[in-house]
Amino acid sequence: MGYVGIPAAALFADSPTTEFVWGIQRNSAASGYKIDWLNRGQSPLVGKEPGLQRLLLKVVKSNKFLCTSDPDKLRDADAVIIAVETGFSDGEKLIPDNSALEEALRSAGKHLSPGSLVIIESTVTPGTTEGLARQILERESGLEAGADFGLAHVPERVMPGKLLRNLREYDRIIGGIDSPSTERAAALYLPIMTKGRILTMSAKAAEVTKTSENALRDLQISAANQLALYCEVLGINFYDVRKGIASLKGEGISREILFPGAGVGGHCLPKDTYHLEKSVKNPALARQITGSADSLFLLARRINDSMPHHMLRLTLSSLEKAGKSAHGARIGILGWAYNKNTKDARNTPALPYRDLVRGRGMEVKIHDPFASSDGDIPIFRRLETVVRSADVIAILTEHDAYKRLDLKKIRKLMDIKSPVIIDGRNVVDAKAALENGFIFSAIGRGDLN
Ligand code: SAJ
């Protein structure tokens, strides 16, 4: 019962072709509270989710949905959908953390009835559905996948703020371990979809589709990041080049050039590449493909993860221009969330950047309009608190709030000679910054840095 399970449960419960939906939620310290909330028809998800609150209330009132921590309710289920977190215990060593998935599979297996259909929506390392998942389900149930129950991977494509819309309108990849599983899964999902089409394929092809659609996005971002660094060295404005490249049009020509930035965070992109890479067990094979170098996707990960270091370089060179040493300098970081206008800070690039500037002896204050304080990291809501008498302000997240900074006011608040702005998300009007006497550096702005 998270970002993936709740909207799916609500939509299935609201579908006339579904008799009843049980939402299974572990009664854990962190998430057990969701059970009561959901049974009151209240969404425990943070952030605006158009239509979800109303839909939950409707399906609870019409007795089509209930949440429980009792997995025994699965016994009379025709279909069981697993939507739990699948991360990495160690990104470096590519060790997937399948603990939640294995627990869910064991629980589903123990209560599985013959003839039911098991769907895995979680993002998994390709090979998991037919491998680990199938083995656990068969061992726990004593049944045979295919013969006694269906099994398919139907990857989620949720995006915070558009949960219901994506489920209804986005195309859905459906990959069964055999064609009856694929057909049954397609029949299950079709009624909750409006504009979205269903694309059927094998379970492993569905796993590779999901992980590579994010690995490819990470690669596209890394291409923009690397190009931006070239432009800085060449003394030109990356955004002129970006406009130029995007202008190349014509039959079958496309250049999806994304945006450089202070780094790539979130719960999808930083991990899905590793799921994809982990599936190619034989690293020598990968080297064969890339000609002894690392996989292209791992190189993209390294480029994107190097961007907070580049932000440090820009910060140090700008402080030098201001005739100040980094040690003891005060810096205001604007933006802690991993993406614009969200409070979600998972894998935020602002964290490594903060560690890097602190490592140089800088005193750090962090502002974010949405993200909440993260353990021992206080996050301030008032911009003045973070900007007042700072030597440097660095923008790490493209929140709308930072797109209309009053630079005159900021200058006054910083109240020092040659204040520094480091723009990691191309949200500050560079000309206005220079006119207001700032020393200004930005990713990709070789013409100004
Ligand atoms: N980022 C850049 N440059 C870009 C785009 C993003 O640096 O041009 C950074 C963002 O600042 C952020 C990170 O990358 O730190 C990820 O941003 P994202 O826009 O990819 O947002 P996510 O992580 O929420 O990605 C989700 C994914 N959806 C699913 O996995 C179902 C992704 O496949 C979608 O493409 C993306 O949303 C989307 O387009 O909104």
Side-chain angles (χ1 to χ4, degrees):
M1 291 291 108
Y3 273 102
V4 179
I6 291 175
L11 278 181
F12 277 117
D14 190 41
S15 156
T17 58
T18 308
E19 185 190 322
F20 187 81
V21 175
W22 281 109
I24 310 287
Q25 172 58 50
R26 286 183 315 178
N27 199 355
S28 65
S31 313
Y33 75 94
K34 294 182 192 175
I35 299 170
D36 292 343
W37 279 45
L38 286 166
N39 286 335
R40 289 198 301 269
Q42 242 185 310
S43 164
L45 300 179
V46 291
K48 287 188 295 296
E49 289 300 341
L52 183 60
Q53 187 55 62
R54 194 168 35 76
L55 189 61
L56 272 171
L57 217 49
K58 179 186 170 196
V59 294
V60 167
K61 279 204 169 37
S62 51
N63 294 319
K64 296 239 6 214
F65 169 74
L66 265 180
C67 185
T68 174
S69 60
D70 175 11
D72 206 44
K73 301 295 181 203
L74 293 174
R75 210 165 283 292
D76 60 1
D78 299 298
V80 177
I81 298 178
I82 294 176
V84 293
E85 183 77 12
T86 49
F88 274 83
S89 52
D90 177 330
E92 285 311 307
K93 300 194 194 71
L94 290 180
I95 303 161
D97 175 4
N98 283 328
S99 49
L101 179 67
E102 288 175 18
E103 186 191 332
L105 286 162
R106 273 194 301 277
S107 174
K110 278 200 193 79
H111 306 89
L112 200 56
S113 308
S116 54
L117 170 66
V118 179
I119 303 280
I120 298 175
E121 287 207 3
S122 304
T123 302
V124 289
T125 301
T128 299
T129 303
E130 291 161 307
L132 175 81
R134 178 186 197 135
Q135 285 146 20
I136 294 178
L137 289 167
E138 289 184 336
R139 189 182 64 226
E140 297 294 337
S141 65
L143 300 172
E144 191 192 333
D148 304 324
F149 64 91
L151 176 57
H153 179 51
V154 181
E156 50 81 10
R157 282 176 162 171
V158 300
M159 289 168 204
K162 312 167 200 160
L163 297 178
L164 288 181
R165 189 208 66 177
N166 286 22
L167 282 171
R168 290 177 171 133
E169 300 181 10
Y170 271 39
D171 290 352
R172 206 74 201 249
I173 308 292
I174 298 209
I177 58 164
D178 55 17
S179 22
S181 301
T182 302
E183 278 142 36
R184 286 184 63 194
L188 177 69
Y189 280 83
L190 206 54
I192 66 167
M193 294 166 70
T194 55
K195 281 183 3 207
R197 287 177 310 118
I198 281 182
L199 285 79
T200 57
M201 56 185 76
S202 72
K204 193 174 283 188
E207 293 165 332
V208 174
T209 300
K210 172 62 190 177
T211 49
S212 50
E213 72 189 16
N214 282 340
L216 275 169
R217 182 169 173 82
D218 197 51
L219 179 64
Q220 288 172 312
I221 297 168
S222 75
N225 281 330
Q226 178 158 339
L227 200 47
L229 300 188
Y230 282 170
C231 291
E232 287 186 29
V233 167
L234 295 168
I236 57 173
N237 179 351
F238 162 83
Y239 293 93
D240 291 341
V241 173
R242 184 181 187 284
K243 251 200 304 280
I245 293 171
S247 73
L248 181 61
K249 292 189 175 53
E251 194 50 37
I253 295 180
S254 81
R255 294 289 188 282
E256 174 70 42
I257 173 139
L258 291 180
F259 293 90
V264 172
H267 48 292
C268 303
L269 271 56
K271 75 176 186 3
D272 289 0
T273 295
Y274 295 122
H275 277 299
L276 178 65
E277 293 293 333
K278 188 77 190 157
S279 63
V280 181
K281 300 266 181 298
N282 172 354
L285 185 66
R287 261 183 259 304
Q288 236 175 20
I289 295 167
T290 57
S292 82
D294 232 343
S295 134
L296 187 61
F297 296 110
L298 287 180
L299 183 55
R301 286 277 61 244
R302 269 214 293 284
I303 291 170
N304 290 339
D305 282 352
S306 77
M307 293 314 285
H309 298 261
H310 186 62
M311 287 289 287
L312 172 70
R313 277 198 292 270
L314 292 177
T315 309
L316 297 178
S317 60
S318 300
L319 276 169
E320 214 176 307
K321 270 188 219 156
K324 292 181 181 164
S325 83
H327 201 85
R330 288 178 301 281
I331 181 167
I333 293 179
L334 306 191
W336 189 250
Y338 85 89
N339 217 346
K340 61 181 168 223
N341 309 329
T342 172
K343 64 173 292 190
D344 194 339
R346 278 177 284 188
N347 300 311
T348 179
L351 181 64
Y353 175 70
R354 182 207 60 152
D355 293 346
L356 286 165
V357 293
R358 272 171 74 170
R360 297 300 177 111
M362 295 180 78
E363 286 163 36
V364 182
K365 274 189 186 164
I366 300 165
H367 175 270
D368 194 287
F370 308 106
S372 30
S373 290
D374 199 344
D376 66 339
I377 302 173
I379 311 272
F380 295 96
R381 284 277 179 277
R382 274 169 43 81
L383 202 57
E384 290 73 13
T385 316
V386 170
V387 170
R388 187 178 302 289
S389 36
D391 297 293
V392 185
I393 55 173
I395 293 150
L396 271 288
T397 312
E398 58 195 299
H399 287 315
D400 289 349
Y402 302 146
K403 289 180 178 160
R404 34 181 201 277
L405 287 175
D406 176 345
L407 293 173
K408 277 191 181 27
K409 193 169 150 233
I410 300 266
R411 175 85 217 256
K412 270 217 277 310
L413 277 165
M414 291 173 86
D415 187 22
I416 38 121
K417 209 170 60 53
S418 37
V420 171
I421 292 186
I422 310 291
D423 184 358
R425 294 288 180 196
N426 188 37
V427 289
V428 171
D429 174 345
K431 201 159 141 294
L434 294 169
E435 279 161 7
N436 278 282
F438 286 93
I439 291 181
F440 177 81
S441 283
I443 289 181
R445 295 304 304 268
D447 55 325
L448 291 176
N449 290 353

